[in-house]
Amino acid sequence: MRPFIQFESVSKAFGSLTVVNALDLAIKKGEFVSLLGPSGSGKTTILMMLAGFERPTQGAIYLDGKRIDHLPPYRRQMGVVFQNYALFPHMTVAENVAFPLQMQRVPRAEITRRVERALDMVKLEQLKDRRPSQLSGGQQQRIALTRALVFEPSVILMDEPLGALDKQLREHMQLEIRELHKRLGLTIVFVTHDQSEALTMSDRIAVFNAGRIEQIDNPQVIYDTPRTRFVAEFIGETNLIEAKIASIDNRIARLSLGAGLSAHAHAADGLSAGQTASFSLRPERIRLGMAPEGSNALDMTITDCIYHGDHMRVQLTRDDFSLVARCERLAGNWTVGAPVVASFDPSDCTVLAQ
Amino acid sequence: MFRALQTTFGIAVVIFLLMPIFAILPLAFTSSVFLNYPIPAYSMRWMHELTTAEVWRTSIVNSLIIGGGATVLATVLGTLASLGMRKGALPMVGLLRTVFLLPMVVPAVVLGVGMQIFLVRIGLASTYLGVIVAHAVLCIPFVIVSVSAALQGIDPSIERAASSLGARPVTVFRRVTLPLALPGVVSGAIFAFATSLDEVVLTLFVAGPNQRTLARQMFSSIRENINPTVAAAALLLIVGTLCLGGLGALLRWRQGRKTAAAVA
Ligand SMILES: Nc1ncnc2c1ncn2[C@@H]1O[C@H](COP(=O)(O)OP(=O)(O)O)[C@@H](O)[C@H]1O
Ligand SMILES: [Mg+2]
């Protein structure tokens, strides 16, 4: 049986520019999948192909077992939330929300009832006679979401829906959308270029680079064990250091890091001894001043210390080798110039192909 | 000092432009049979003449018929053309647009000669339909400019949203595109009507004796038997044009307020 949504080697080219390249993507019913990637990586194009506004140049798209890539948008039953909300400016809030129900020829009395219930759900019932231009950005966003939800579409597609909101409101809306997803069991495909948004909201994240999926997995796996250098750099913050692989045994590589230092690290696929690779280590996985049994321990010097309120960033150096560590607070005797032991577990760092 | 000069000059230009209009208007209410000052006494004599004399009455009716017909034709065709040229689906849209706008710059005499020959060919010379078609050609550019600007202002994702919410293309047009472009369509129609109302040159070429419009009648009355009815007709035209202009301004103002509110 086919997955609920399936892209089968879908490519899309505009003229000679290939924007999506042989994409295979499967999404389960009720899943919240984020498409994450830098601007221009083809995320919007993929969403537009799913919604029906772009035709794949090659490949097939399936929804619930049926091929849909030849269907026009109005026959696909997908609720799309656009970045700029795309509310109908000449209709009131209630008329906006009623629109998809009118398209489905739902009886008038039922439309009124369902519109009321939907607006009630997002607590905006008192605004139902206003025009979109009389609403704040956050309210417009919520109306756009309500309008996309009210006709109970099989899938909700969102293209950077929170990009225009300020930080506080954005975080609030993230929680609200997650809540709705859980409560209504929605299938959501969510496009964003904000990695922290993808990490907090998604069941799975597909990380895109230049029209290809670099890695697709749940947020924790993506964060803890990035499979490529691009993913390691794009998600969160990391120390990325060129290293030589001395040996590999049972997916644990022995690395020489430079400045006479060496460490063990979890190895990605396709690496072999003797190769030069990228060593990725998250700043918060570095411990200072203790080295438990079995961990990597490096003798470093503190060269800088930056206060960030809830945490500190500590620059560690040895000759031309340096690392950034993140810790809650520093012990009193650690000052700039002091020697310190930096330690981390082999399972907390990764070696990646360059 | 410089400011004062500027202001004086500005006022002088405005007076220069408006003087002819203000000079002619009082003569609509003269009691004399001559179209000149001084005015011996005020009377409604020529206004009465304008509305009762057969030639004037029919010319007013003709202007309304032809203006109305040309407006409807130009608005429908111009709106369709603007829609067609909008999405870049057609090849050579730029060239097409230039061709549509050509009647704005082609001298009316040239257009008139061409129209005359053409209308005779297809048997529409000296008919209402012929004059309406000829006027519509002149009016279409105004509609296209106005409607294209309005369509340009519509965010394409709004139409996409409608489509994804289940609206077929015709429904998207009827429920979203047209209502949003309506101010542009209406103001295009107003321009079209005003253009048709004062069109003389083209009318001279294509209209027969039965399709004398008000402007055409004023033109010939000045040459044949000049009397103050022409001033009364001028007053009527000016009042009509002012009303249309006011309506257009009102629409633009409302549109502007809406946009301002949308931005805020
Ligand atoms: N209609 C189009 N015609 C030509 N190029 C396009 C079109 N739409 C998108 N592109 C190009 O495709 C690439 C990917 O765009 P997009 O899917 O919008 O990326 P993202 O949403 O990840 O920023 C960009 O380089 C963009 O210029
Ligand atoms: Mg995009």
Side-chain angles (χ1 to χ4, degrees), chain B residues 50 63 194 197-198 214-215 218 231-243:
Chain B
L50 180 70
S63 267
L197 212 54
D198 78 352
L214 184 58
M218 286 168 74
L235 180 72
L236 185 67
L237 269 183
I238 287 171
V239 170
T241 313
L242 280 181
C243 287

Side-chain angles (χ1 to χ4, degrees), chain A residues 43-44 83 159-160 191:
Chain A
K43 311 179 296 286
T44 297
Q83 172 161 19
D159 190 2
E160 313 210 7
V191 164

Side-chain angles (χ1 to χ4, degrees), chain A residues 183-234:
Chain A
R183 186 147 51 95
L184 306 178
L186 303 168
T187 308
I188 298 184
V189 184
F190 187 95
V191 164
T192 178
H193 65 260
D194 181 341
Q195 45 102 9
S196 73
E197 191 164 282
L199 287 172
T200 51
M201 297 181 77
S202 328
D203 294 328
R204 280 195 304 154
I205 302 175
V207 185
F208 278 85
N209 181 23
R212 286 176 183 283
I213 295 184
E214 292 264 333
Q215 186 171 2
I216 176 164
D217 220 317
N218 69 51
Q220 196 171 351
V221 172
I222 295 261
Y223 186 85
D224 288 339
T225 48
R227 275 222 321 252
T228 68
R229 200 188 143 119
F230 177 85
V231 176
E233 273 185 301
F234 196 76

Side-chain angles (χ1 to χ4, degrees), chain A residues 6-12 22-23 55-62 67 69:
Chain A
Q6 187 183 25
F7 283 74
E8 203 174 65
S9 57
V10 170
S11 297
K12 175 70 184 176
L23 173 75
R55 278 279 189 101
T57 319
Q58 257 169 33
I61 304 173
Y62 297 88
R67 187 162 172 178
D69 46 284

Side-chain angles (χ1 to χ4, degrees), chain A residues 58-73:
Chain A
Q58 257 169 33
I61 304 173
Y62 297 88
L63 173 70
D64 210 3
K66 287 185 282 290
R67 187 162 172 178
I68 58 162
D69 46 284
H70 59 281
L71 290 182

